[in-house]
Amino acid sequence: MLIGDSGTGKSHLLIGIGTAIAEAGLTVRYTTTAALVNELAEAEAAKRLSSVIARYSKVDLLCLDEFGYLNLDKKGAKLLFQIFTEREECRATAVATNSPFAEWDKTFGDPRLCAAIADRITFRCTLIQTGTESYRFQATQDEHQRRKGN
């Protein structure tokens, strides 16, 4: 789990981890959490949910970016929960989030569902805190200072 403010390198690290795992010959799927929930909702509407969940359960590493950026309705949260349940203790999931655990109940709406998702994500988890200083903001400031100096 990668946790930190916007611009601190979470997505960059997530992609790097995924690339290294793929180069080692394992299967990797990278997606944003919102895109995954949308895909699951569309699959459910088309009566293909089981096959989509099965596909995600076979991937060696699932990289979920932008976890907690958007609040999910109860249906979306339950669909996402199914992915975590299918992957639990069988396959690896890497998550990048800018939301502290204390704010996850807002993302998932239901405190019990939130606790169950957090429990599955954090079981045997390595937590990497990327901090609060935005690389992009710092680069902008550096460029501004460079221009002022010329």
Side-chain angles (χ1 to χ4, degrees):
M1 171 162 285
L2 303 162
I3 188 167
D5 285 352
S6 182
T8 59
K10 298 177 303 298
S11 297
H12 183 78
L13 289 169
L14 193 64
I15 291 167
I17 291 166
T19 300
I21 295 298
E23 287 174 349
L26 299 170
T27 57
V28 178
R29 177 80 187 254
Y30 171 93
T31 186
T32 66
T33 304
L36 174 57
V37 170
N38 289 339
E39 181 181 354
L40 293 170
E42 290 169 6
E44 183 180 49
K47 308 252 188 268
R48 297 181 299 105
L49 183 59
S50 294
S51 65
V52 172
I53 289 175
R55 185 169 27 107
Y56 275 98
S57 70
K58 293 175 185 168
V59 175
D60 294 310
L61 174 63
L62 175 60
C63 296
L64 277 181
D65 206 354
E66 300 176 2
F67 189 85
Y69 278 57
L70 300 174
N71 292 344
L72 301 175
D73 62 13
K74 197 165 191 168
K75 178 182 172 184
K78 285 182 177 183
L79 290 169
L80 185 61
F81 175 75
Q82 289 181 60
I83 293 291
F84 290 124
T85 298
E86 282 295 313
R87 298 182 59 74
E88 184 180 16
E89 296 191 53
C90 301
R91 305 280 186 215
T93 304
V95 175
T97 183
N98 70 347
S99 300
F101 293 114
E103 294 178 8
W104 282 18
D105 60 337
K106 295 174 190 165
T107 299
F108 299 107
D110 179 346
R112 280 197 173 131
L113 184 57
C114 175
I117 289 172
D119 182 63
R120 281 161 176 75
I121 291 175
T122 59
F123 183 64
R124 296 186 181 159
C125 161
T126 299
L127 180 63
I128 300 170
Q129 294 183 343
T130 59
T132 59
E133 307 254 338
S134 170
Y135 171 79
R136 289 184 291 267
F137 182 72
Q138 185 61 50
T140 300
Q141 283 186 317
D142 292 349
E143 180 64 19
H144 180 69
Q145 288 300 324
R146 186 185 67 75
R147 287 182 182 174
K148 266 177 93 172
N150 288 337

